[in-house]
Amino acid sequence: MHPTPRRRFWPAMVLTLLAAPPMLASLAAAVLALWQPAAWTQLWQQPQLPLALLRSLGTGTVATALALWVSAALLGSLRDSRHWSRVQAWLAPLLAVPHAAMAIAVLALLASSGWLLRLTSPWATGWHAPPPWPTTQDPWGLGLVLVLVAKEVPFLLWAASAQLARPDIGPRLARELRWATTLGYSRSQAWWRVGWPQLLPRLGAPLLAVLAYSLTVVDVAWLAGPASPPTLAVLAWQWLQDTNPAIHALGAVAAWLLALCVLVCAAMGWAVLRAQPWRRSWVRGWQTSTPRQRRIGALGLWWVLLALYGACLLALALGSAIGVWPFPALLPEHWSLAAWNTVLAQRSTLTVTAVLALAASMAALLWTVAWLEWAPQLWQRRLSPLWALPLALPALLWVLGLHQWMLRAGMDGSAVGLWLAHTLSVLPYTLLTLQGPYLAFDPRLGHVAASLGQSQSRFLLQVKWPLLRAPLLAALAVGIAVSVAQYLPTLYIGAGRFATVTTEAVAQASGGQRALAASFAWLQWLLPWTVFGLAAWAARHPSAQLNRRR
């Protein structure tokens, strides 16, 4: 039921010509920004550089290491228990939460006049005024690390679940784990000695994405990260905003310095993870406790994560309706819906966010389905690094190259340019979500349909795509969530002409508008959650027409 190689060539060529030119042009424009010796010299002379770089490296590497450790602990202790299905059911709602919304919620909880200190003041702390030291945007970056770990653990668990669900990996790994237990190893020992060493290399791409994001994130670091100086990503973004060409070039080479840091940290981290002494110490560490203790500890970690998300959601809901709220009163003197009235009055912001997310995710999904269906396997293997550029490159560097290409193409500040920027940013996530289930589809069904004289189009419309309904809807929901969360492409490519809930949430939070920031951040959560809920419902309740066809 697959097309012949000749019939595959032209669709694959058309799809490549649609997506490759902007990807390659953006990469080329970013590479051209590298060759600026004067800017490099000026960068090394910046007094803020050492501390800013240290804060980027510290927060990024610590957050990545902690996210990996927590994910490994949850996998090792809960994977073969009855709790694992519940963990998997919660991954989609947690993934739907944008990073910026999480940062705003953590600020509401941990601020010097936030909910946590109000719960303990003055009866426990004796404070009748906010403490004089920073509880957010601390110089050590602890708040930034908390936000990043909370967001990246569900992503790594989702990536690991996708790998374990693959028909070419999951059954084979299960057999090898059973063989290991027959040799006298416990289930925990079998996992850490047999299962985890095979799964970890397959998490290389998600781990690289987590490391690249943690080292180069701008909006979250701006809201929850240290200040004076900020992380190098925020500093580079501030330089790129300057109209002075010399300062702008300084921001470009700073973005390249971050990219080099990502490569060096990735190489060092991979060498550490593959080191035999480290792997043996990991196994010995988990063998010092009983299986029951490990499971209780893993469940505790998971419930702490869920409690953090729940507390953040509640803080945003209450924070969006607060009025006058003197410290240390636990509740405000009166509640107000003025912030929500302001948000609802900005219908253009909501419309732009929804239309842009739907258009970008639909375009990315259509391209992904066509690519997986008609592109030869060799093309898919060879070109997969190209499609992953927006995911692998630091966000600053990707947006810098994309903006330079948009300027040359005359699309800067246009609706088409913004749609294309969001589509290119969504595409790798859509491809990553759909690739496993789509390629694992049983080809024998196509052969049966062909033997019955059915055309390929009828097979796709009535058999293959209806059976892949759940992965297709999940990929669409992931694309919408990614588009809603886009900050740098919207601000840079849109040239400030298009406002979305994410740009408004970050702007209001940085301006100290607590109720407005909470309202926009709530919408950041609500839109992806609604889409994921509708996708899950549609996957479980096929249309009546589809049931009649069956």
Side-chain angles (χ1 to χ4, degrees):
M1 184 51 63
H2 292 290
T4 62
R6 181 179 296 275
R7 294 182 62 187
R8 278 176 171 266
F9 173 80
W10 291 111
M13 179 60 70
V14 171
L15 293 169
T16 303
L17 291 176
L18 285 175
M23 295 279 192
L24 292 174
S26 303
L27 179 61
V31 170
L32 289 176
L34 175 64
W35 308 109
Q36 303 184 78
W40 281 105
T41 303
Q42 186 181 4
L43 178 64
W44 300 126
Q45 296 173 352
Q46 293 296 315
Q48 297 174 299
L49 178 64
L51 186 54
L53 181 58
L54 181 62
R55 285 175 170 175
S56 289
L57 292 173
T59 55
T61 54
V62 169
T64 304
L66 284 177
L68 177 62
W69 182 84
V70 174
S71 302
L74 294 174
L75 276 169
S77 301
L78 303 180
R79 176 193 51 83
D80 57 349
S81 70
R82 59 185 175 86
H83 304 287
W84 183 240
S85 59
R86 300 176 185 174
V87 171
Q88 289 179 305
W90 274 102
L91 292 181
L94 299 186
L95 284 172
V97 179
H99 287 76
M102 190 72 179
I104 294 172
V106 169
L107 284 177
L109 287 174
L110 302 182
S112 56
S113 59
W115 289 98
L116 187 60
L117 286 180
R118 290 174 183 272
L119 284 171
T120 57
S121 300
W123 62 271
T125 62
W127 293 328
H128 293 274
W133 57 83
T135 56
T136 56
Q137 293 188 310
D138 57 283
W140 305 280
L142 299 179
L144 176 57
V145 170
L146 175 64
V147 174
L148 292 175
V149 171
K151 279 302 303 166
E152 303 309 339
V153 166
F155 174 71
L156 290 178
L157 289 176
W158 170 74
S161 299
Q163 291 293 329
L164 293 174
R166 289 181 53 173
D168 58 333
I169 296 176
R172 176 178 58 82
L173 193 58
R175 289 194 301 269
E176 293 178 358
L177 291 175
R178 286 196 298 268
W179 293 340
T181 56
T182 62
L183 296 176
Y185 292 103
S186 66
R187 289 196 296 180
S188 176
Q189 292 173 328
W191 170 253
W192 292 113
R193 293 179 182 273
V194 178
W196 179 247
Q198 296 187 61
L199 179 63
L200 184 59
R202 298 183 178 276
L203 298 179
L207 277 174
L208 178 60
V210 169
L211 178 64
Y213 183 86
S214 301
L215 283 173
T216 64
V217 63
V218 174
D219 51 350
V220 177
W222 189 11
L223 294 172
S228 300
T231 62
L232 185 56
V234 176
L235 202 57
W237 172 247
Q238 293 172 349
W239 288 335
L240 286 170
Q241 296 283 76
D242 201 295
T243 56
N244 188 332
I247 303 300
H248 187 275
L250 190 63
V253 296
W256 268 110
L257 179 59
L258 282 172
L260 296 176
C261 290
V262 170
L263 291 177
V264 172
C265 291
M268 294 177 62
W270 197 245
V272 170
L273 290 177
R274 293 183 64 86
Q276 291 296 328
W278 182 89
R279 292 168 61 179
R280 286 195 295 268
S281 64
W282 182 291
V283 174
R284 286 196 299 268
W286 277 90
Q287 289 176 350
T288 57
S289 57
T290 64
R292 179 178 175 82
Q293 291 173 333
R294 289 192 293 270
R295 186 159 296 174
I296 292 176
L299 281 174
L301 284 174
W302 178 247
W303 281 110
V304 166
L305 184 65
L306 290 182
L308 176 61
Y309 273 82
C312 289
L313 183 64
L314 181 61
L316 287 181
L318 296 177
S320 66
I322 57 175
V324 179
W325 196 22
F327 190 90
L330 179 60
L331 297 176
E333 292 182 353
H334 70 273
W335 301 93
S336 172
L337 296 178
W340 278 108
N341 292 332
T342 302
V343 169
L344 296 178
Q346 300 182 19
R347 294 184 179 86
S348 60
T349 300
L350 302 177
T351 302
V352 168
T353 303
V355 172
L356 184 60
L358 185 60
S361 56
M362 282 297 299
L365 180 62
L366 291 175
W367 186 94
T368 300
V369 170
W371 177 257
L372 294 175
E373 180 63 37
W374 287 294
Q377 292 294 323
L378 180 62
W379 287 46
Q380 295 188 30
R381 289 194 301 269
R382 296 285 177 84
L383 293 178
S384 58
L386 179 61
W387 312 141
L389 276 179
L391 188 62
L393 281 179
L396 271 176
L397 202 57
W398 164 250
V399 172
L400 174 64
L402 189 60
H403 181 244
Q404 294 296 323
W405 178 73
M406 290 283 183
L407 284 174
R408 293 184 176 89
M411 291 188 291
D412 178 54
S414 66
V416 174
L418 184 59
W419 165 77
L420 182 58
H422 274 240
T423 301
L424 294 176
S425 300
V426 165
L427 192 146
Y429 290 93
T430 306
L431 186 60
L432 182 64
T433 303
L434 191 57
Q435 188 173 26
Y438 205 96
L439 296 181
F441 187 82
D442 193 347
R444 293 176 296 180
L445 295 176
H447 300 155
V448 172
S451 66
L452 296 175
Q454 303 298 319
S455 64
Q456 187 196 17
S457 60
R458 191 170 184 181
F459 166 71
L460 293 175
L461 293 173
Q462 296 188 359
V463 179
K464 186 172 186 177
W465 291 342
L467 290 177
L468 290 172
R469 179 181 59 257
L472 289 171
L473 292 173
L476 180 64
V478 168
I480 291 176
V482 171
S483 178
V484 169
Q486 292 299 305
Y487 176 71
L488 289 182
T490 305
L491 203 61
Y492 217 96
I493 308 302
R497 300 176 185 175
F498 301 92
T500 64
V501 293
T502 297
T503 59
E504 287 296 313
V506 175
Q508 300 298 337
S510 60
Q513 299 294 326
R514 183 166 49 192
L516 277 175
S519 302
F520 279 111
W522 179 268
L523 285 179
Q524 274 190 290
W525 288 42
L526 186 61
L527 291 175
W529 274 22
T530 302
V531 173
F532 272 100
L534 290 175
W537 179 86
R540 291 194 302 266
H541 299 84
S543 64
Q545 182 180 6
L546 181 59
N547 287 331
R548 286 196 299 268
R549 287 178 179 176
R550 289 182 177 179

